[in-house]
Amino acid sequence: MSVPFRISAPRAGALLLAALSLSASAAAPQVRTQPGYYRLALGSFEVTALSDGVLRIEPTKLLQGRSSAEIVADLTKAHLKEPVDTSMNAFLVNTGTKLVLIDTGGGGGMADGGKLLQSLANAGYAPAQVDEIYITHMHGDHLGNLAKDGTPMFPNAIVRADKADAAFWLDEATADAAPEDRRGSFKVARDAFAPYVKTGRFKPFDGATELVPGIRSVARHGHTPGHSSYVVESGGQKLEVIGDMIHVGAVQFAHPEVVIGFDRDSKQAAADRREAFDAAAKDGRLVAAAHLSFPGIGYIDADGSGYRWVPVNYAPVR
């Protein structure tokens, strides 16, 4: 004979309270931030992608060499529409003897930026531990967390960038001669670098240079006068941090001839992209990009007249 299932009054009350608690929890505002870091091993090195947040851009207004209708079609194919959230990524390399940060994001003054230092903390590091900082180029969305109100955010770091970028962006005469609507970008660069210049901790380099064992710069000067990528190599594995050689992956992988209005020399910028992407497709190196969807690390394969992006597979560091 079956016995009817009954819940005692005390137990029924407990279940009701639990249900109410769950309902209240589900209705509570959810945290709207991401962890902001992703770590992988590269030979004996440790590489950590750090998020500074996102920019919102309108590719139809910025990209050149493809019609607006074609760009919209490319975005639609990738399940995107304008404005597009575009990551601001930086990359921390622990060589075992040096802690090197490549780029610093845009900082709190730029759209949804200013998350780099929290991402760094989430990854288990403090700004004072960073030994060297390599800047791909001196646009504001790559150096925004270097300093705040004249104070260096990385008090023990040596900062490095190509001397051609320094000669352009840090020169007051060049800034004065620039169109008025662009002079603010020069001031942002000068303010970011000022505390490091003042203390002798800005050390520019000239073109291809080994900066520390396992990390070397490569001259990719199309985007800005001294735009550089950084090749990180350990244990036969290689990764190239490419800075601004691509902004809108949904368009520019398939159509690498498409350039962006921020390029100083669009012809050279397109050639830089081809050279870097061909090298990556040929030798299978990892690529880390500032403006591909976080963590911005993956592989590039040749695909007809263009390329195909293969994001890195999620895996724990072993």
Side-chain angles (χ1 to χ4, degrees):
M1 186 174 86
S2 64
V3 178
F5 179 73
R6 292 188 177 91
I7 301 176
S8 67
R11 180 169 170 76
L15 288 172
L16 178 60
L17 286 174
L20 289 173
S21 175
L22 178 62
S23 175
S25 174
Q30 301 299 300
V31 175
R32 300 181 67 85
T33 58
Q34 307 285 3
Y37 75 95
Y38 176 78
R39 182 172 287 131
L40 57 81
L42 187 83
S44 64
F45 291 179
E46 173 194 88
V47 177
T48 305
L50 300 171
S51 173
D52 189 53
V54 299
L55 294 168
R56 305 201 84 190
I57 66 170
E58 295 181 274
T60 56
K61 293 182 179 179
L62 295 174
L63 296 182
Q64 301 169 0
R66 195 155 171 80
S67 72
S68 293
E70 290 171 324
I71 291 170
V72 169
D74 293 336
L75 295 176
T76 301
K77 186 176 179 180
H79 303 278
L80 296 171
K81 60 182 179 179
E82 292 189 305
V84 176
D85 284 329
T86 301
S87 294
M88 290 187 288
N89 304 322
F91 302 94
L92 187 71
V93 182
N94 188 337
T95 71
T97 58
K98 293 284 187 181
L99 193 61
V100 177
L101 178 62
I102 302 177
D103 281 342
T104 75
M110 186 163 288
D112 187 43
K115 297 176 173 60
L116 180 101
L117 296 182
Q118 185 60 58
S119 296
L120 184 68
N122 291 346
Y125 291 102
Q129 293 177 277
V130 175
D131 297 300
E132 305 206 5
I133 299 173
Y134 304 155
I135 300 296
T136 58
H137 64 293
M138 294 188 183
H139 281 165
D141 54 328
H142 296 259
L143 48 74
N145 289 290
L146 274 177
K148 184 176 181 180
D149 300 327
T151 300
M153 292 291 96
F154 300 89
N156 299 314
I158 298 295
V159 178
R160 311 206 67 182
D162 192 284
K163 71 176 188 179
D165 241 39
F168 183 78
W169 292 104
L170 304 184
D171 181 65
E172 289 191 28
T174 303
D176 290 343
E180 187 172 353
D181 62 346
R182 297 187 181 182
R183 290 175 193 166
S185 297
F186 289 86
K187 184 178 187 306
V188 167
R190 290 201 306 273
D191 288 350
F193 277 84
Y196 300 94
V197 172
K198 184 178 180 180
T199 56
R201 289 188 292 118
F202 174 49
K203 299 183 182 299
F205 56 81
D206 185 8
T209 305
E210 184 179 53
L211 301 169
V212 295
I215 306 179
R216 59 183 172 85
S217 62
V218 181
R220 310 281 196 195
H221 292 180
H223 185 59
T224 66
H227 183 281
S228 301
S229 65
Y230 297 97
V231 174
V232 182
E233 193 165 4
S234 174
Q237 296 182 307
K238 191 182 295 185
L239 175 147
E240 184 170 355
V241 182
I242 64 171
D244 272 12
M245 278 191 277
I246 190 164
H247 290 81
V248 187
V251 178
Q252 291 175 290
F253 278 118
H255 305 282
E257 73 282 359
V258 173
V259 296
I260 196 164
F262 304 130
D263 290 334
R264 175 193 65 93
D265 182 337
S266 59
K267 184 177 180 180
Q268 183 61 50
D272 288 344
R273 182 161 44 254
R274 281 280 187 191
E275 184 177 57
F277 287 11
D278 284 346
K282 182 177 180 180
D283 68 15
R285 71 184 64 178
L286 282 165
V287 168
H291 297 306
L292 294 180
S293 187
F294 183 80
I297 301 177
Y299 298 93
I300 292 176
D301 292 337
D303 186 13
S305 60
Y307 305 91
R308 182 169 63 94
W309 175 245
V310 184
V312 69
N313 187 52
Y314 176 82
V317 177
R318 296 183 174 91

